[in-house]
Amino acid sequence: METNRTLMQTLSYGEERIRYQVCHVPDREGKVAIHVHPDGSVQVDAPMDAELAEIKAAVQKRARWVMGHIHKARELREHVLPREYVSGESHYYQGRRFQLKLVRNQDAKGSVKLHRGKLVVEADDVSSTRVRELLRGWYRDRARDYFARRLHASVSNISWLAEVPQWRLLTMKKQWGSCSPKGILLLNPHLVKAPRECIEYVLLHELCHMQEHNHSQRFYRLLTEQMPEWKSVKAKLDGMSELLLNE
């Protein structure tokens, strides 16, 4: 079975060069789809039979739009890095960006909730240190709940899983997850900030390691059976990693 392929390509636009990653995606039909990720990287999803010249022409046609979004991504990164934990700052949850709103309340011990497109932190102390602590706890709670539900659902969909594997949360600076030789999963709570399809990709990736403890062709064949479009999803996650892992 032919799997999805990725290629790096470039084209000129004025005095600038656009570097883009081509993902040939199984079962994709029609036109190519162009994505500019929060880190400014460009991903192009295309049908398996699309020629590189055809794809390049499509990107060239929308080059102005692409460069505009690249510039916006660069400006956004300058705005949110490093994090200061102040009102108006952008934070992510399941792929959506929420504006942070701090509410000082002398009677509040500290709470975090999503309300009308904002991530609201209410506490008697809204210093950066305290807000960071409250957000980390909130993300861990959300991650623990969501990952548990998705792992439970995977048992009925994956033939080699008889029960939910042992797993725990572990904050990591560069990894989204890992699987020990004993089949224990370690999952980064920051992953809950990513879009749901990206979370699903990481979970499937680690679950496939329970069958193949390596990155062999058999491992990638297994992963492709579970998620044919995984390379496109991985590219999307890679494009958001710097923002999602940043605290």
Side-chain angles (χ1 to χ4, degrees):
M1 179 177 66
E2 188 176 18
T3 60
N4 41 356
R5 299 170 283 125
T6 57
L7 298 165
M8 294 306 304
Q9 300 287 300
T10 60
L11 62 79
S12 297
Y13 180 70
E15 297 181 354
E16 300 197 61
R17 294 186 66 80
I18 299 175
R19 190 168 185 263
Y20 57 99
Q21 181 176 20
V22 176
C23 296
H24 286 93
V25 182
D27 300 327
R28 179 171 184 82
E29 299 178 357
K31 300 179 180 180
V32 302
I34 304 173
H35 313 278
V36 181
H37 298 305
D39 68 349
S41 63
V42 182
Q43 173 189 342
V44 182
D45 290 345
M48 294 296 293
D49 59 354
E51 299 291 339
L52 290 179
E54 175 188 353
I55 296 170
K56 184 174 184 178
V59 179
Q60 189 79 63
K61 185 177 180 180
R62 300 190 67 191
R64 182 178 180 181
W65 178 89
V66 172
M67 284 307 309
H69 280 71
I70 290 174
H71 291 154
K72 287 180 181 178
R74 290 171 180 170
E75 292 173 2
L76 178 62
R77 291 173 70 195
E78 291 175 358
H79 175 70
V80 301
L81 297 175
R83 296 210 181 279
E84 298 178 349
Y85 297 96
V86 294
S87 287
E89 193 173 59
S90 294
H91 289 259
Y92 286 83
Y93 176 63
Q94 292 193 359
R96 291 183 58 194
R97 195 170 71 205
F98 293 88
Q99 190 178 70
L100 184 63
K101 180 179 180 180
L102 306 184
V103 178
R104 187 188 301 273
N105 183 343
Q106 294 298 331
D107 298 324
K109 295 182 179 179
S111 66
V112 181
K113 62 182 179 181
L114 295 175
H115 182 66
R116 295 183 178 179
K118 295 184 184 297
L119 189 55
V120 182
V121 177
E122 185 174 5
D124 57 347
D125 174 11
V126 290
S127 64
S128 296
T129 300
R130 179 56 174 158
V131 172
R132 179 177 182 269
E133 177 188 3
L134 289 170
L135 284 175
R136 290 192 75 180
W138 183 82
Y139 276 121
R140 289 186 72 89
D141 289 343
R142 301 288 79 72
R144 187 177 293 108
D145 177 67
Y146 188 72
F147 297 167
R149 286 189 281 116
R150 294 312 306 151
L151 288 170
H152 180 78
S154 67
V155 174
S156 60
N157 297 324
I158 299 178
S159 60
W160 64 83
L161 284 182
E163 58 184 7
V164 176
Q166 291 185 337
W167 67 282
R168 64 184 179 90
L169 297 175
L170 178 67
T171 300
M172 295 174 271
K173 292 185 177 181
K174 295 183 178 181
Q175 286 181 272
W176 293 116
S178 65
C179 179
S180 75
K182 294 183 179 180
I184 300 175
L185 306 186
L186 298 179
L187 299 172
N188 194 331
H190 289 305
L191 179 61
V192 80
K193 302 174 186 178
R196 291 184 179 183
E197 64 269 25
C198 296
I199 298 173
E200 198 72 12
Y201 156 71
V202 173
L203 296 180
L204 288 173
H205 184 108
E206 301 310 331
L207 290 173
C208 286
H209 276 313
M210 297 184 69
Q211 280 290 95
E212 297 291 335
H213 297 284
N214 49 52
H215 287 107
S216 63
Q217 288 186 353
R218 288 196 299 178
F219 168 81
Y220 287 114
R221 191 179 305 118
L222 200 62
L223 180 57
T224 301
E225 289 173 357
Q226 297 299 318
M227 179 179 277
E229 74 284 8
W230 70 266
K231 284 190 177 180
S232 173
V233 177
K234 179 181 182 299
K236 182 176 183 178
L237 180 59
D238 290 344
M240 302 183 72
S241 293
E242 186 176 2
L243 288 178
L244 301 183
L245 290 169
N246 178 63
E247 284 193 287

PDB file of all heavy atoms in Angstrom, residues 3-29:
ATOM      1  N   THR A   3       1.940   4.909   0.845  1.00  0.00           N
ATOM      2  CA  THR A   3       1.656   5.788   1.972  1.00  0.00           C
ATOM      3  C   THR A   3       1.925   7.228   1.579  1.00  0.00           C
ATOM      4  O   THR A   3       2.439   7.523   0.516  1.00  0.00           O
ATOM      5  CB  THR A   3       2.534   5.407   3.184  1.00  0.00           C
ATOM      6  OG1 THR A   3       3.915   5.535   2.809  1.00  0.00           O
ATOM      7  CG2 THR A   3       2.267   3.971   3.603  1.00  0.00           C
ATOM      8  N   ASN A   4       1.577   8.145   2.478  1.00  0.00           N
ATOM      9  CA  ASN A   4       1.786   9.546   2.160  1.00  0.00           C
ATOM     10  C   ASN A   4       3.261   9.901   2.190  1.00  0.00           C
ATOM     11  O   ASN A   4       4.037   9.354   2.946  1.00  0.00           O
ATOM     12  CB  ASN A   4       0.990  10.457   3.102  1.00  0.00           C
ATOM     13  CG  ASN A   4       1.008  10.026   4.533  1.00  0.00           C
ATOM     14  OD1 ASN A   4       1.562   8.993   4.872  1.00  0.00           O
ATOM     15  ND2 ASN A   4       0.404  10.806   5.381  1.00  0.00           N
ATOM     16  N   ARG A   5       3.664  10.837   1.319  1.00  0.00           N
ATOM     17  CA  ARG A   5       5.055  11.234   1.185  1.00  0.00           C
ATOM     18  C   ARG A   5       5.199  12.713   1.484  1.00  0.00           C
ATOM     19  O   ARG A   5       4.275  13.485   1.313  1.00  0.00           O
ATOM     20  CB  ARG A   5       5.549  10.951  -0.246  1.00  0.00           C
ATOM     21  CG  ARG A   5       5.480   9.479  -0.623  1.00  0.00           C
ATOM     22  CD  ARG A   5       5.747   9.291  -2.101  1.00  0.00           C
ATOM     23  NE  ARG A   5       4.598   9.650  -2.916  1.00  0.00           N
ATOM     24  CZ  ARG A   5       4.614  10.529  -3.905  1.00  0.00           C
ATOM     25  NH1 ARG A   5       5.717  11.197  -4.187  1.00  0.00           N
ATOM     26  NH2 ARG A   5       3.528  10.783  -4.628  1.00  0.00           N
ATOM     27  N   THR A   6       6.381  13.127   1.940  1.00  0.00           N
ATOM     28  CA  THR A   6       6.637  14.537   2.180  1.00  0.00           C
ATOM     29  C   THR A   6       7.901  14.953   1.446  1.00  0.00           C
ATOM     30  O   THR A   6       8.850  14.192   1.338  1.00  0.00           O
ATOM     31  CB  THR A   6       6.812  14.853   3.680  1.00  0.00           C
ATOM     32  OG1 THR A   6       7.879  14.048   4.204  1.00  0.00           O
ATOM     33  CG2 THR A   6       5.547  14.564   4.444  1.00  0.00           C
ATOM     34  N   LEU A   7       7.914  16.185   0.934  1.00  0.00           N
ATOM     35  CA  LEU A   7       9.047  16.736   0.211  1.00  0.00           C
ATOM     36  C   LEU A   7       9.185  18.205   0.559  1.00  0.00           C
ATOM     37  O   LEU A   7       8.185  18.901   0.741  1.00  0.00           O
ATOM     38  CB  LEU A   7       8.846  16.590  -1.303  1.00  0.00           C
ATOM     39  CG  LEU A   7       8.725  15.177  -1.882  1.00  0.00           C
ATOM     40  CD1 LEU A   7       8.167  15.248  -3.298  1.00  0.00           C
ATOM     41  CD2 LEU A   7      10.090  14.499  -1.891  1.00  0.00           C
ATOM     42  N   MET A   8      10.418  18.699   0.650  1.00  0.00           N
ATOM     43  CA  MET A   8      10.646  20.115   0.865  1.00  0.00           C
ATOM     44  C   MET A   8      10.925  20.781  -0.476  1.00  0.00           C
ATOM     45  O   MET A   8      11.735  20.285  -1.266  1.00  0.00           O
ATOM     46  CB  MET A   8      11.828  20.342   1.817  1.00  0.00           C
ATOM     47  CG  MET A   8      11.581  19.856   3.241  1.00  0.00           C
ATOM     48  SD  MET A   8      10.076  20.529   4.025  1.00  0.00           S
ATOM     49  CE  MET A   8      10.352  22.294   3.876  1.00  0.00           C
ATOM     50  N   GLN A   9      10.249  21.897  -0.740  1.00  0.00           N
ATOM     51  CA  GLN A   9      10.390  22.617  -1.988  1.00  0.00           C
ATOM     52  C   GLN A   9      10.525  24.112  -1.689  1.00  0.00           C
ATOM     53  O   GLN A   9      10.196  24.573  -0.589  1.00  0.00           O
ATOM     54  CB  GLN A   9       9.159  22.392  -2.883  1.00  0.00           C
ATOM     55  CG  GLN A   9       8.905  20.933  -3.248  1.00  0.00           C
ATOM     56  CD  GLN A   9       9.914  20.421  -4.249  1.00  0.00           C
ATOM     57  OE1 GLN A   9      10.030  20.946  -5.352  1.00  0.00           O
ATOM     58  NE2 GLN A   9      10.652  19.394  -3.870  1.00  0.00           N
ATOM     59  N   THR A  10      11.013  24.883  -2.676  1.00  0.00           N
ATOM     60  CA  THR A  10      11.113  26.327  -2.520  1.00  0.00           C
ATOM     61  C   THR A  10      10.670  27.020  -3.798  1.00  0.00           C
ATOM     62  O   THR A  10      10.710  26.426  -4.891  1.00  0.00           O
ATOM     63  CB  THR A  10      12.559  26.769  -2.197  1.00  0.00           C
ATOM     64  OG1 THR A  10      13.422  26.361  -3.267  1.00  0.00           O
ATOM     65  CG2 THR A  10      13.039  26.174  -0.883  1.00  0.00           C
ATOM     66  N   LEU A  11      10.260  28.270  -3.660  1.00  0.00           N
ATOM     67  CA  LEU A  11       9.968  29.102  -4.827  1.00  0.00           C
ATOM     68  C   LEU A  11      10.270  30.543  -4.463  1.00  0.00           C
ATOM     69  O   LEU A  11      10.314  30.920  -3.284  1.00  0.00           O
ATOM     70  CB  LEU A  11       8.527  28.929  -5.312  1.00  0.00           C
ATOM     71  CG  LEU A  11       7.358  29.292  -4.400  1.00  0.00           C
ATOM     72  CD1 LEU A  11       7.105  30.797  -4.371  1.00  0.00           C
ATOM     73  CD2 LEU A  11       6.087  28.594  -4.860  1.00  0.00           C
ATOM     74  N   SER A  12      10.497  31.359  -5.480  1.00  0.00           N
ATOM     75  CA  SER A  12      10.829  32.764  -5.271  1.00  0.00           C
ATOM     76  C   SER A  12       9.570  33.625  -5.326  1.00  0.00           C
ATOM     77  O   SER A  12       8.667  33.375  -6.135  1.00  0.00           O
ATOM     78  CB  SER A  12      11.822  33.237  -6.331  1.00  0.00           C
ATOM     79  OG  SER A  12      13.036  32.524  -6.227  1.00  0.00           O
ATOM     80  N   TYR A  13       9.549  34.632  -4.450  1.00  0.00           N
ATOM     81  CA  TYR A  13       8.472  35.619  -4.481  1.00  0.00           C
ATOM     82  C   TYR A  13       9.119  36.962  -4.212  1.00  0.00           C
ATOM     83  O   TYR A  13       9.437  37.310  -3.075  1.00  0.00           O
ATOM     84  CB  TYR A  13       7.412  35.308  -3.428  1.00  0.00           C
ATOM     85  CG  TYR A  13       6.278  36.309  -3.416  1.00  0.00           C
ATOM     86  CD1 TYR A  13       5.364  36.353  -4.470  1.00  0.00           C
ATOM     87  CD2 TYR A  13       6.136  37.225  -2.379  1.00  0.00           C
ATOM     88  CE1 TYR A  13       4.327  37.287  -4.476  1.00  0.00           C
ATOM     89  CE2 TYR A  13       5.102  38.151  -2.376  1.00  0.00           C
ATOM     90  CZ  TYR A  13       4.205  38.179  -3.425  1.00  0.00           C
ATOM     91  OH  TYR A  13       3.179  39.095  -3.434  1.00  0.00           O
ATOM     92  N   GLY A  14       9.332  37.724  -5.255  1.00  0.00           N
ATOM     93  CA  GLY A  14      10.069  38.970  -5.118  1.00  0.00           C
ATOM     94  C   GLY A  14      11.488  38.683  -4.680  1.00  0.00           C
ATOM     95  O   GLY A  14      12.184  37.855  -5.280  1.00  0.00           O
ATOM     96  N   GLU A  15      11.907  39.337  -3.611  1.00  0.00           N
ATOM     97  CA  GLU A  15      13.248  39.111  -3.082  1.00  0.00           C
ATOM     98  C   GLU A  15      13.266  38.030  -2.009  1.00  0.00           C
ATOM     99  O   GLU A  15      14.312  37.731  -1.448  1.00  0.00           O
ATOM    100  CB  GLU A  15      13.800  40.424  -2.503  1.00  0.00           C
ATOM    101  CG  GLU A  15      13.972  41.526  -3.547  1.00  0.00           C
ATOM    102  CD  GLU A  15      14.543  42.787  -2.947  1.00  0.00           C
ATOM    103  OE1 GLU A  15      14.695  42.830  -1.711  1.00  0.00           O
ATOM    104  OE2 GLU A  15      14.849  43.730  -3.708  1.00  0.00           O
ATOM    105  N   GLU A  16      12.132  37.456  -1.734  1.00  0.00           N
ATOM    106  CA  GLU A  16      12.050  36.428  -0.702  1.00  0.00           C
ATOM    107  C   GLU A  16      11.864  35.048  -1.322  1.00  0.00           C
ATOM    108  O   GLU A  16      11.476  34.910  -2.478  1.00  0.00           O
ATOM    109  CB  GLU A  16      10.890  36.726   0.259  1.00  0.00           C
ATOM    110  CG  GLU A  16      11.017  38.058   0.968  1.00  0.00           C
ATOM    111  CD  GLU A  16      10.121  38.154   2.178  1.00  0.00           C
ATOM    112  OE1 GLU A  16      10.289  37.342   3.100  1.00  0.00           O
ATOM    113  OE2 GLU A  16       9.248  39.037   2.191  1.00  0.00           O
ATOM    114  N   ARG A  17      12.162  34.043  -0.505  1.00  0.00           N
ATOM    115  CA  ARG A  17      11.961  32.659  -0.939  1.00  0.00           C
ATOM    116  C   ARG A  17      10.993  31.983   0.014  1.00  0.00           C
ATOM    117  O   ARG A  17      11.110  32.118   1.239  1.00  0.00           O
ATOM    118  CB  ARG A  17      13.279  31.885  -0.989  1.00  0.00           C
ATOM    119  CG  ARG A  17      14.222  32.416  -2.055  1.00  0.00           C
ATOM    120  CD  ARG A  17      15.458  31.549  -2.204  1.00  0.00           C
ATOM    121  NE  ARG A  17      15.145  30.220  -2.715  1.00  0.00           N
ATOM    122  CZ  ARG A  17      14.923  29.938  -3.996  1.00  0.00           C
ATOM    123  NH1 ARG A  17      14.960  30.909  -4.896  1.00  0.00           N
ATOM    124  NH2 ARG A  17      14.678  28.701  -4.386  1.00  0.00           N
ATOM    125  N   ILE A  18      10.043  31.292  -0.528  1.00  0.00           N
ATOM    126  CA  ILE A  18       9.075  30.541   0.271  1.00  0.00           C
ATOM    127  C   ILE A  18       9.500  29.080   0.281  1.00  0.00           C
ATOM    128  O   ILE A  18       9.615  28.447  -0.769  1.00  0.00           O
ATOM    129  CB  ILE A  18       7.659  30.667  -0.312  1.00  0.00           C
ATOM    130  CG1 ILE A  18       7.205  32.133  -0.302  1.00  0.00           C
ATOM    131  CG2 ILE A  18       6.676  29.800   0.485  1.00  0.00           C
ATOM    132  CD1 ILE A  18       5.863  32.363  -0.975  1.00  0.00           C
ATOM    133  N   ARG A  19       9.741  28.553   1.453  1.00  0.00           N
ATOM    134  CA  ARG A  19      10.092  27.139   1.606  1.00  0.00           C
ATOM    135  C   ARG A  19       8.836  26.420   2.106  1.00  0.00           C
ATOM    136  O   ARG A  19       8.248  26.839   3.111  1.00  0.00           O
ATOM    137  CB  ARG A  19      11.238  26.983   2.603  1.00  0.00           C
ATOM    138  CG  ARG A  19      11.844  25.584   2.671  1.00  0.00           C
ATOM    139  CD  ARG A  19      13.150  25.633   3.453  1.00  0.00           C
ATOM    140  NE  ARG A  19      13.830  24.352   3.457  1.00  0.00           N
ATOM    141  CZ  ARG A  19      13.740  23.461   4.445  1.00  0.00           C
ATOM    142  NH1 ARG A  19      12.992  23.745   5.504  1.00  0.00           N
ATOM    143  NH2 ARG A  19      14.388  22.311   4.385  1.00  0.00           N
ATOM    144  N   TYR A  20       8.429  25.382   1.410  1.00  0.00           N
ATOM    145  CA  TYR A  20       7.196  24.706   1.797  1.00  0.00           C
ATOM    146  C   TYR A  20       7.351  23.191   1.758  1.00  0.00           C
ATOM    147  O   TYR A  20       8.112  22.640   0.973  1.00  0.00           O
ATOM    148  CB  TYR A  20       6.027  25.135   0.899  1.00  0.00           C
ATOM    149  CG  TYR A  20       6.229  24.898  -0.585  1.00  0.00           C
ATOM    150  CD1 TYR A  20       5.687  23.777  -1.219  1.00  0.00           C
ATOM    151  CD2 TYR A  20       6.944  25.802  -1.378  1.00  0.00           C
ATOM    152  CE1 TYR A  20       5.858  23.559  -2.583  1.00  0.00           C
ATOM    153  CE2 TYR A  20       7.121  25.603  -2.734  1.00  0.00           C
ATOM    154  CZ  TYR A  20       6.575  24.482  -3.328  1.00  0.00           C
ATOM    155  OH  TYR A  20       6.750  24.255  -4.672  1.00  0.00           O
ATOM    156  N   GLN A  21       6.633  22.546   2.633  1.00  0.00           N
ATOM    157  CA  GLN A  21       6.658  21.085   2.740  1.00  0.00           C
ATOM    158  C   GLN A  21       5.443  20.513   2.020  1.00  0.00           C
ATOM    159  O   GLN A  21       4.309  20.871   2.320  1.00  0.00           O
ATOM    160  CB  GLN A  21       6.645  20.645   4.206  1.00  0.00           C
ATOM    161  CG  GLN A  21       6.702  19.133   4.393  1.00  0.00           C
ATOM    162  CD  GLN A  21       6.779  18.743   5.857  1.00  0.00           C
ATOM    163  OE1 GLN A  21       6.438  19.521   6.734  1.00  0.00           O
ATOM    164  NE2 GLN A  21       7.226  17.537   6.129  1.00  0.00           N
ATOM    165  N   VAL A  22       5.706  19.640   1.070  1.00  0.00           N
ATOM    166  CA  VAL A  22       4.631  18.991   0.319  1.00  0.00           C
ATOM    167  C   VAL A  22       4.293  17.653   0.969  1.00  0.00           C
ATOM    168  O   VAL A  22       5.174  16.822   1.194  1.00  0.00           O
ATOM    169  CB  VAL A  22       5.043  18.755  -1.150  1.00  0.00           C
ATOM    170  CG1 VAL A  22       3.942  17.990  -1.892  1.00  0.00           C
ATOM    171  CG2 VAL A  22       5.326  20.087  -1.845  1.00  0.00           C
ATOM    172  N   CYS A  23       3.036  17.467   1.284  1.00  0.00           N
ATOM    173  CA  CYS A  23       2.558  16.191   1.827  1.00  0.00           C
ATOM    174  C   CYS A  23       1.579  15.581   0.827  1.00  0.00           C
ATOM    175  O   CYS A  23       0.486  16.133   0.616  1.00  0.00           O
ATOM    176  CB  CYS A  23       1.862  16.385   3.170  1.00  0.00           C
ATOM    177  SG  CYS A  23       2.915  17.007   4.499  1.00  0.00           S
ATOM    178  N   HIS A  24       1.986  14.487   0.195  1.00  0.00           N
ATOM    179  CA  HIS A  24       1.061  13.742  -0.663  1.00  0.00           C
ATOM    180  C   HIS A  24       0.208  12.866   0.249  1.00  0.00           C
ATOM    181  O   HIS A  24       0.723  11.962   0.913  1.00  0.00           O
ATOM    182  CB  HIS A  24       1.824  12.876  -1.660  1.00  0.00           C
ATOM    183  CG  HIS A  24       2.448  13.667  -2.778  1.00  0.00           C
ATOM    184  ND1 HIS A  24       3.744  14.134  -2.706  1.00  0.00           N
ATOM    185  CD2 HIS A  24       1.951  14.066  -3.961  1.00  0.00           C
ATOM    186  CE1 HIS A  24       4.025  14.790  -3.825  1.00  0.00           C
ATOM    187  NE2 HIS A  24       2.960  14.769  -4.602  1.00  0.00           N
ATOM    188  N   VAL A  25      -1.074  13.155   0.294  1.00  0.00           N
ATOM    189  CA  VAL A  25      -1.957  12.523   1.274  1.00  0.00           C
ATOM    190  C   VAL A  25      -2.912  11.535   0.617  1.00  0.00           C
ATOM    191  O   VAL A  25      -3.611  11.886  -0.345  1.00  0.00           O
ATOM    192  CB  VAL A  25      -2.772  13.600   2.030  1.00  0.00           C
ATOM    193  CG1 VAL A  25      -3.652  12.965   3.089  1.00  0.00           C
ATOM    194  CG2 VAL A  25      -1.839  14.628   2.648  1.00  0.00           C
ATOM    195  N   PRO A  26      -2.939  10.294   1.097  1.00  0.00           N
ATOM    196  CA  PRO A  26      -3.873   9.297   0.554  1.00  0.00           C
ATOM    197  C   PRO A  26      -5.315   9.765   0.676  1.00  0.00           C
ATOM    198  O   PRO A  26      -5.690  10.452   1.633  1.00  0.00           O
ATOM    199  CB  PRO A  26      -3.621   8.066   1.433  1.00  0.00           C
ATOM    200  CG  PRO A  26      -2.254   8.250   1.967  1.00  0.00           C
ATOM    201  CD  PRO A  26      -2.089   9.729   2.161  1.00  0.00           C
ATOM    202  N   ASP A  27      -6.121   9.423  -0.311  1.00  0.00           N
ATOM    203  CA  ASP A  27      -7.558   9.697  -0.317  1.00  0.00           C
ATOM    204  C   ASP A  27      -7.907  11.174  -0.462  1.00  0.00           C
ATOM    205  O   ASP A  27      -9.092  11.533  -0.438  1.00  0.00           O
ATOM    206  CB  ASP A  27      -8.238   9.156   0.959  1.00  0.00           C
ATOM    207  CG  ASP A  27      -8.058   7.652   1.101  1.00  0.00           C
ATOM    208  OD1 ASP A  27      -8.023   6.965   0.066  1.00  0.00           O
ATOM    209  OD2 ASP A  27      -7.936   7.190   2.237  1.00  0.00           O
ATOM    210  N   ARG A  28      -6.892  12.028  -0.615  1.00  0.00           N
ATOM    211  CA  ARG A  28      -7.214  13.433  -0.849  1.00  0.00           C
ATOM    212  C   ARG A  28      -7.563  13.629  -2.319  1.00  0.00           C
ATOM    213  O   ARG A  28      -6.856  13.148  -3.196  1.00  0.00           O
ATOM    214  CB  ARG A  28      -6.059  14.355  -0.465  1.00  0.00           C
ATOM    215  CG  ARG A  28      -6.407  15.809  -0.734  1.00  0.00           C
ATOM    216  CD  ARG A  28      -5.397  16.801  -0.184  1.00  0.00           C
ATOM    217  NE  ARG A  28      -5.874  18.158  -0.419  1.00  0.00           N
ATOM    218  CZ  ARG A  28      -6.743  18.795   0.321  1.00  0.00           C
ATOM    219  NH1 ARG A  28      -7.249  18.202   1.397  1.00  0.00           N
ATOM    220  NH2 ARG A  28      -7.160  20.017   0.022  1.00  0.00           N
ATOM    221  N   GLU A  29      -8.633  14.352  -2.566  1.00  0.00           N
ATOM    222  CA  GLU A  29      -9.076  14.604  -3.929  1.00  0.00           C
ATOM    223  C   GLU A  29      -9.166  16.110  -4.184  1.00  0.00           C
ATOM    224  O   GLU A  29      -9.305  16.903  -3.261  1.00  0.00           O
ATOM    225  CB  GLU A  29     -10.438  13.954  -4.185  1.00  0.00           C
ATOM    226  CG  GLU A  29     -10.433  12.435  -4.018  1.00  0.00           C
ATOM    227  CD  GLU A  29     -11.798  11.829  -4.237  1.00  0.00           C
ATOM    228  OE1 GLU A  29     -12.753  12.608  -4.455  1.00  0.00           O
ATOM    229  OE2 GLU A  29     -11.918  10.597  -4.187  1.00  0.00           O
TER     230      GLU A  29
END
